[in-house]
């Protein structure tokens, strides 16, 4: 759908944001354990604000039209936009917000948080006001609450970070500098994940089987500490082993599924040092640690041939 509006061209402003990946700690992080996540700049979002005549309009792949009539799925972003306009004293009129995203939605790659951050940044730029990361995060988190229910906050923090982060709820974030280069492949099952359902499922398990649930979440927490050490000291062999351990725990609480397991086991069979789901699970994406750069390229090709919907080889470097 495209939206034709009379644009007053001299007033446009752009905001961008990249994607993110959770390396380890998903789900456990919602319940107070640490997690490690990585900015993923290969895909991202651009938001462009233009002055038009009339009300406030959105133009995105989900919906194009007056913001007031936006579908329910966009409720969160609509709230973020309204709050941002209010904060910046921008009148609720004569605006078109165009959102272009290369991040597949519902795949655990932080698409909703990237959209929110890009849009907030574009509105600040439009009003010619400087912004701090904290301001952007606060406004973006309004939408995240709609998307996730009780978000840990890790998505938005990673998207606004230049390097991998160590994150634990209500604690200051810590930045991680990898010791050496790590080559990964991210592969998309093609199945949409619903973060909220997966998060609610784990919360449900805590109620019905608290011993099992807390035991698993604590074990994921321990693995996360060891993953940090592997990134900073012990290296890729240990890291691979730990990613497999984390996957075992995630499977045991039911957040993996056939589509993920199929790609994960295939990647291991093809020489990945470790592989696990990334994000909420129940579809979405997996992440595999390759042996080196050439192996990452080969593994990407093989995963694609094996039916992965999309693949992204990428490096985490000591920079
Ligand atoms: O939005 P996703 O699919 O990357 O999942 C976020 C990770 C969870 O730990 C499952 C939820 C959260 O808020 O941290």
């Amino acid at each position: 759908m495209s939206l034709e509006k009379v644009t007053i061209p001299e007033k446009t402003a752009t905001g961008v944001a990249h994607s993110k990946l959770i390396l380890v700690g998903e789900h456990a992080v919602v319940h107070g354990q640490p997690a490690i996540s990585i900015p993923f700049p290969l895909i991202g979002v651009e938001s462009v604000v233009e002055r038009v005549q009339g009300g406030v309009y959105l133009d995105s792949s989900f919906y194009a039209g007056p913001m007031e009539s936006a579908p329910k799925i966009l409720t969160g972003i609509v709230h973020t936009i309204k709050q941002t306009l209010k904060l910046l004293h921008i009148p609720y009129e004569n605006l078109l917000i165009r959102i272009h995203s290369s991040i597949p939605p519902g795949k655990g790659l932080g698409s909703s948080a990237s959209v929110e951050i890009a849009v907030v940044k574009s509105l600040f730029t439009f009003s010619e006001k400087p912004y701090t990361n904290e301001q952007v995060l606060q406004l973006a988190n309004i939408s995240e609450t709609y998307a996730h229910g009780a978000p840990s906050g890790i998505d938005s923090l990673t998207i606004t970070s230049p390097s991998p982060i160590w994150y634990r709820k209500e604690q200051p974030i810590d930045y991680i500098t990898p010791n050496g280069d790590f080559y990964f492949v991210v592969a998309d099952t093609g199945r949409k994940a619903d973060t909220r359902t997966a998060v609610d499922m784990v919360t449900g398990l805590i109620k019905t089987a608290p011993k099992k649930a807390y035991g698993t979440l604590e074990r994921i927490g321990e693995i996360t500490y060891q993953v940090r050490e592997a990134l900073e000291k012990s290296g890729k062999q240990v890291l691979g082993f730990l990613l497999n351990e984390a996957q075992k725990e995630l499977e045991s609480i039911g957040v993996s599924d056939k589509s993920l397991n199929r790609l994960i086991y295939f990647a291991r069979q093809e020489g990945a040092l470790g592989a696990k789901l990334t994000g909420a699970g129940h579809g979405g994406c997996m992440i595999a640690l390759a042996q080196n750069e050439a192996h990452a390229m080969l593994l990407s090709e093989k995963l694609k041939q094996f039916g992965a919907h999309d693949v992204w080889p990428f490096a985490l470097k000591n920079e």
Side-chain angles (χ1 to χ4, degrees), residues 20 22 26-27 29-30 108-110 148 150-155 195 199 279-280:
K20 75 95 195 31
I22 295 183
E26 51 272 272
H27 288 290
V29 70
V30 177
L109 299 176
H148 285 198
S152 64
I154 193 168
D155 280 20
T195 300
V199 168

Side-chain angles (χ1 to χ4, degrees), residues 18-24 34-41 154-168 172-182 184 224 227-232 239 287 314-319:
H18 54 61
S19 176
K20 75 95 195 31
L21 291 169
I22 295 183
L23 182 61
V24 67
I36 296 172
S37 62
I38 312 174
F40 188 47
I154 193 168
D155 280 20
S156 345
L157 279 167
T158 315
I159 287 160
T160 52
S161 165
S163 52
I165 64 167
W166 171 267
Y167 174 78
R168 196 165 196 162
I173 56 168
D174 211 356
Y175 297 94
I176 296 177
T177 309
N179 177 19
D181 300 343
F182 295 86
F184 294 96
T224 303
V227 165
R228 179 169 189 168
E229 208 170 296
L231 286 171
E232 292 177 335
L239 177 59
I287 181 168
F314 83 102
L316 182 60
K317 296 201 167 198
N318 171 239
E319 283 165 345

Side-chain angles (χ1 to χ4, degrees), residues 148-279:
H148 285 198
S152 64
I154 193 168
D155 280 20
S156 345
L157 279 167
T158 315
I159 287 160
T160 52
S161 165
S163 52
I165 64 167
W166 171 267
Y167 174 78
R168 196 165 196 162
K169 257 183 178 175
E170 283 152 32
Q171 285 187 15
I173 56 168
D174 211 356
Y175 297 94
I176 296 177
T177 309
N179 177 19
D181 300 343
F182 295 86
Y183 293 91
F184 294 96
V185 178
V186 174
D188 180 355
T189 60
R191 209 185 144 211
K192 267 199 179 180
D194 178 7
T195 300
R196 194 164 187 154
T197 309
V199 168
D200 288 350
M201 209 189 95
V202 176
T203 312
L205 190 68
I206 289 176
K207 286 194 189 118
T208 53
K211 211 169 155 205
K212 156 73 190 150
Y214 280 121
T216 303
L217 298 175
E218 275 163 27
R219 172 74 188 124
I220 294 175
E222 279 165 25
I223 295 170
T224 303
Y225 275 93
Q226 292 163 352
V227 165
R228 179 169 189 168
E229 208 170 296
L231 286 171
E232 292 177 335
K233 288 191 205 111
S234 24
K236 61 186 179 185
Q237 299 291 344
V238 179
L239 177 59
F241 169 79
L242 293 167
L243 297 182
N244 289 343
E245 287 293 294
Q247 174 63 18
K248 220 186 277 171
E249 300 303 330
L250 292 164
E251 281 177 31
S252 84
I253 49 170
V255 290
S256 198
D257 73 351
K258 270 193 194 152
S259 67
L260 283 162
N261 293 350
R262 184 173 174 270
L263 296 184
I264 289 167
Y265 299 152
F266 177 76
R268 290 180 191 159
Q269 195 185 305
E270 292 300 325
L273 302 175
K276 65 181 276 293
L277 66 85
T278 176

Side-chain angles (χ1 to χ4, degrees), residues 7-8 42 44 112 126 132 142 162 183 211 262 268 283:
T7 304
I8 304 164
L42 297 188
S112 56
F126 186 79
T132 62
I142 298 172
Y183 293 91
K211 211 169 155 205
R262 184 173 174 270
R268 290 180 191 159

